[in-house]
Amino acid sequence: MQYEVPVYCDVDVLGVGGSTGAVAAAMAAARQGMNVFCVSTFPYFGEDICSYGRYWFDPASVNVNPLGEQLYQACAAVEGRVPRPMEVKYPLERALIDAEIPFLYQSFPVALMRDAEGQVGGCVFANRSGFLAVRAKTVIDATDRALVGRMTRAGFSAFQPGKYTFERVVVTTGTPPEPR
């Protein structure tokens, strides 16, 4: 089935996802003279740090790109502490604005656009304003669940059931309550 969706913009590179890696990739493409557009499913950039509460830098357990590492080190160098959420979100947004890279928040990929040869040529997004299309020569999927990649013909391995160990970190300023 085909629908008519308004084309929001035509770009060389479309970055989908709001991680520090997505912002770093967008900025690298812009430095090479490419026309770039970014879209985050979150209402901010820095989802790889903020949405998971990863406010500490541990290179042994967290895969952090150089831009994310700079965010951690900036706070550690100044005050010896981990960054607060807005100290992650705002610098990433500011970096995109300063690099003149337009972006949208809270827009979700719902369909791929394909050219006459069947190659990916952009993405259709849904947000509070409705549907919009972004045509692109290259699409970078930097979403945490490979949302765009799953729309392609790429193969993914199935989840392997079994026992997994999970941890949680609770940040508090006082003594934790006694367990019930």
Side-chain angles (χ1 to χ4, degrees):
M1 208 179 292
Q2 290 186 349
Y3 297 96
E4 286 193 28
V5 176
V7 175
Y8 189 75
C9 62
D10 278 293
V11 294
D12 297 319
V13 177
L14 168 62
V16 184
S19 65
T20 55
V23 174
M27 292 175 58
R31 279 192 299 273
Q32 294 178 8
M34 295 181 206
N35 185 12
V36 183
F37 187 78
C38 288
V39 179
S40 175
T41 58
F42 284 78
Y44 55 84
F45 288 99
E47 67 185 57
D48 53 333
I49 296 172
C50 298
S51 71
Y52 295 102
R54 291 182 181 148
Y55 296 110
W56 60 93
F57 179 65
D58 180 4
S61 66
V62 179
N63 182 14
V64 178
N65 63 66
L67 179 59
E69 188 175 341
Q70 287 173 1
L71 296 170
Y72 287 112
Q73 290 174 348
C75 288
V78 173
E79 299 177 28
R81 62 174 176 77
V82 297
R84 296 179 184 115
M86 283 309 292
E87 291 170 328
V88 172
K89 298 171 184 179
Y90 180 74
L92 293 173
E93 181 179 288
R94 188 79 248 163
L96 291 173
I97 292 169
D98 291 346
E100 299 182 357
I101 299 172
F103 55 87
L104 284 175
Y105 289 133
Q106 292 185 305
S107 297
F108 302 87
V110 294
L112 291 176
M113 297 171 62
R114 296 189 180 270
D115 62 18
E117 290 81 40
Q119 298 298 311
V120 175
C123 196
V124 176
F125 296 93
N127 60 28
R128 293 178 72 158
S129 297
F131 294 102
L132 59 94
V134 176
R135 280 194 289 238
K137 295 174 186 169
T138 302
V139 178
I140 298 172
D141 183 352
T143 60
D144 61 344
R145 302 282 190 258
L147 297 175
V148 177
R150 292 179 187 280
M151 292 181 204
T152 67
R153 297 180 186 106
F156 287 85
S157 24
F159 172 75
Q160 298 298 317
K163 288 188 175 188
Y164 293 89
T165 302
F166 293 91
E167 295 179 27
R168 74 178 179 162
V169 175
V170 178
V171 179
T172 179
T173 56
T175 17
E178 291 295 319
R180 294 182 192 181

